Amino acid sequence: MARYLMSLDAGTTSSRCIIFDFNGNKIAMAQKEHKQIFPNPSLVEHDPMEIWENQLDVVKKALYNAKLSASDIATIGITNQRETVIVWDKSTGKPIYNAIVWQCRRTADFCDALKQEGYDTTIREKTGLTTDAYFSGTKLRWLLENIDGAKEAASRGDLLFGTVDTWLLWQLTKGAVFATDYSNASRTMLYNIHELKWDDEILAEFNIPKCILPEVLPSAHIFGHAHADFFGAEIPISGIAGDQQAALFGQGCFELGMVKNTYGTGCFMLMNTGNAAESKNGLLTTIAWGIGDNIEYALEGSVFVAGSVVQWLRDSLGLIKTASETCGLAKSVDDTGGIYIVPAFTGLGAPHWLSHARGIISGITHATRKEHIVRAALEAIAYQSHDVISAMVADTGISLTEIRVDGGASANDFLMQFQADISGVAVRRPQQIESTALGAALLAGLGIGLFENKDEVAKKICHGSIFTPHMDSAMKAQLLDGWNMTINAMIF
């Protein structure tokens, strides 16, 4: 009898497979990094075939590590880096170009042109998104306009477009299923989140034929089956959600006003807003998930650079050898010595939305040491998240008492305490920080009927450490004034 849930976590820097038991306990994991391709500093690409091959490899390794076979797996859930775009030939299955990654800024000028025309209002009203190069639609348009023969092939119906979930689903089912879920569709800038359909007007504006777009289905749903040729037996695929929505689900944020923040490559904060779908303070409105006929929405604030600022300290500056060093280095000094870092390596996300902004370090003196820079980098993650919290409170009128956190950088105790202090909100870290993968697995369990409802799912989620705010109000105000002055210097 199948006794386990499998999650495929197709992230920005790696592919992972995590196997959970029905109580949400992690049984085994395998992970493999994929190459980051930078044609120039503002362009980011991945090799779609490498993503697919790595995902196959880690599934086989996770099964081996757990001493399990495919017949032990009840279902597969897929979660993914969301706005990354892949276009492939329907007949051959070969991509026409590299995947264009969510971080890529190549369409910033086109987005600026849309704003100048005033079309950004239409986009926000229909899709809940700001007009930014972050999202899939303009990347897809770029591929069709710039790859030889792509526009004509798309018009003939010879090409398929998908985010990474769709690509993996199509591959796993050997082309039998071409679909996505509501959460991923809502991140394309092509999907009307109120009418729940691909928007004909926006498709016409971008000159994108509807025939290349996947079917949109509920997040908890039997999409199809992984072919027996891959793992030795067919496995149902019954859950799909974009990584941040999956984390919201995996943190059990099922009630209105509940918030999670994922500290990954970027930093992504979501608030469950139930049936409401509007922001007036620079946040995104997105579909959290679809379960049956019920659609729930979320407010989202996207910080483009979070954990990747630690990678920058390691790989570009050589100040650290491992990410885990940063906690001790940050604690070894009383403050940053007046240093502020705004790591706008690929622009500023919510709530500022400045595509062309670039990073800045302010306050450097002769006394500045690497410990100050490391601490300032960690604090920058918390400051950016605080800006999102402030916008959420302004949008909803809900005063937050708790943020549930996950992602790799949430293991950093200094960062979590500083986040609690600067935001004045308790930070709760679960025992299982793999909330994204867990969320996809639990959605898959719900989709195949292993769990009756979300109340039963909530019982599978165990919470761990709590960081409560201790900073006095005067110090908090002083630090935030310094941060805001640095941000304003970039804006003006």
Side-chain angles (χ1 to χ4, degrees):
M1 181 179 176
R3 297 167 292 146
Y4 300 98
L5 306 171
M6 176 179 284
S7 182
L8 309 188
D9 185 353
T12 304
T13 58
S14 69
S15 297
R16 300 192 302 165
C17 176
I18 303 181
I19 299 172
F20 299 93
D21 65 20
F22 288 174
N23 290 315
N25 300 308
K26 185 167 70 173
I27 302 302
M29 183 183 83
Q31 180 171 354
K32 193 170 186 179
E33 291 190 2
H34 51 253
K35 185 179 180 183
Q36 305 296 304
I37 302 168
F38 302 102
N40 75 41
S42 65
L43 306 186
V44 191
E45 299 174 0
H46 293 157
D47 178 350
M49 294 308 298
E50 183 185 15
I51 291 173
W52 163 235
E53 290 161 4
N54 285 359
Q55 196 69 70
L56 271 182
D57 190 36
V58 295
V59 169
K60 293 172 183 176
K61 286 181 178 176
L63 287 170
Y64 176 82
N65 292 342
K67 296 180 174 58
L68 299 174
S69 68
S71 60
D72 294 309
I73 306 301
T75 185
I76 293 173
I78 298 174
T79 185
N80 56 289
Q81 48 165 316
R82 294 172 297 177
E83 298 81 6
T84 296
V85 169
I86 302 171
V87 176
W88 65 97
D89 186 287
K90 183 165 62 175
S91 299
T92 67
K94 299 297 183 184
I96 67 169
Y97 189 74
N98 281 336
I100 300 180
V101 180
W102 60 272
Q103 299 160 310
C104 188
R105 310 307 298 171
R106 75 184 67 207
T107 62
D109 289 342
F110 176 66
C111 291
D112 289 344
L114 289 171
K115 293 174 186 176
Q116 289 170 6
E117 294 170 12
Y119 199 72
D120 56 322
T121 301
T122 298
I123 288 172
R124 176 173 284 281
E125 288 175 350
K126 292 188 171 194
T127 72
L129 307 178
T130 191
T131 302
D132 191 84
Y134 175 26
F135 304 105
S136 309
T138 61
K139 295 179 174 70
L140 173 55
R141 177 189 176 275
W142 186 93
L143 283 170
L144 298 183
E145 294 287 337
N146 289 276
I147 304 305
D148 288 344
K151 186 186 297 185
E152 294 75 17
S155 298
R156 294 193 303 268
D158 293 339
L159 299 182
L160 301 176
F161 151 76
T163 42
V164 175
D165 60 302
T166 300
W167 169 245
L168 292 178
L169 179 64
W170 192 86
Q171 293 284 1
L172 285 165
T173 61
K174 289 198 170 183
V177 183
F178 179 50
T180 188
D181 87 299
Y182 289 122
S183 72
N184 278 293
S186 73
R187 308 298 295 186
T188 60
M189 205 195 287
L190 305 173
Y191 193 72
N192 190 313
I193 64 171
H194 310 288
E195 299 179 4
L196 302 181
K197 66 179 185 179
W198 298 114
D199 193 87
D200 291 328
E201 181 189 349
I202 297 175
L203 292 175
E205 178 73 20
F206 288 10
N207 198 20
I208 294 171
K210 188 184 289 187
C211 62
I212 72 171
L213 305 178
E215 181 181 7
V216 183
L217 297 169
S219 310
H221 176 85
I222 299 177
F223 290 82
H225 292 77
H227 200 281
D229 287 352
F230 294 124
F231 312 120
E234 279 195 348
I235 308 174
I237 302 168
S238 58
I240 293 179
D243 51 10
Q244 303 314 317
Q245 289 95 327
L248 189 71
F249 198 86
Q251 286 273 25
C253 294
F254 301 148
E255 297 178 14
L256 180 68
M258 295 184 75
V259 173
K260 75 89 194 172
N261 198 20
T262 295
Y263 298 80
T265 303
C267 213
F268 302 90
M269 186 177 296
L270 272 71
M271 173 190 280
N272 187 325
T273 57
N275 296 321
E278 183 180 11
S279 173
K280 296 180 180 178
N281 290 279
L283 299 178
L284 308 175
T285 302
T286 194
I287 295 178
W289 46 70
I291 298 173
D293 295 329
N294 186 42
I295 301 294
E296 293 184 57
Y297 294 89
L299 284 179
E300 176 171 338
S302 307
V303 173
F304 295 155
V305 175
S308 56
V309 74
V310 176
Q311 188 178 34
W312 171 71
L313 294 175
R314 183 192 68 191
D315 298 342
S316 297
L317 299 189
L319 296 184
I320 58 172
K321 292 182 179 178
T322 64
S324 60
E325 294 176 43
T326 58
C327 185
L329 288 170
K331 288 180 176 180
S332 72
V333 288
D334 293 334
D335 52 41
T336 67
I339 294 286
Y340 285 91
I341 297 176
V342 183
F345 302 152
T346 54
L348 273 178
H352 309 289
W353 295 110
L354 296 172
S355 294
H356 300 286
R358 292 298 177 263
I360 188 171
I361 305 176
S362 69
I364 297 173
T365 70
H366 285 298
T368 299
R369 307 200 317 264
K370 79 171 185 177
E371 291 84 356
H372 296 123
I373 293 174
V374 169
R375 180 167 176 144
L378 293 180
E379 290 188 1
I381 300 172
Y383 285 128
Q384 291 177 99
S385 295
H386 174 74
D387 288 347
V388 175
I389 292 169
S390 298
M392 282 186 173
V393 171
D395 262 342
T396 64
I398 298 172
S399 296
L400 304 187
T401 58
E402 177 183 278
I403 304 169
R404 297 184 176 185
V405 300
D406 54 67
S410 71
N412 189 305
D413 286 356
F414 170 82
L415 173 58
M416 294 300 97
Q417 185 60 55
F418 189 78
Q419 186 72 76
D421 286 339
I422 206 66
S423 299
V425 178
V427 170
R428 183 185 292 269
R429 184 172 63 197
Q431 291 180 10
Q432 173 56 264
I433 67 170
E434 302 285 4
S435 299
T436 299
L438 178 61
L442 294 174
L443 272 169
L446 190 62
I448 205 170
L450 292 173
F451 311 126
E452 185 175 347
N453 51 41
K454 289 187 294 183
D455 289 339
E456 190 175 342
V457 169
K459 297 174 184 177
K460 312 297 181 183
I461 300 166
C462 298
H463 296 286
S465 305
I466 298 179
F467 299 84
T468 56
H470 301 303
M471 185 180 291
D472 67 71
S473 57
M475 176 58 70
K476 174 182 169 181
Q478 180 182 333
L479 290 174
L480 285 173
D481 283 346
W483 170 255
N484 290 326
M485 286 176 61
T486 308
I487 290 286
N488 289 334
M490 296 179 66
I491 296 174
F492 301 108

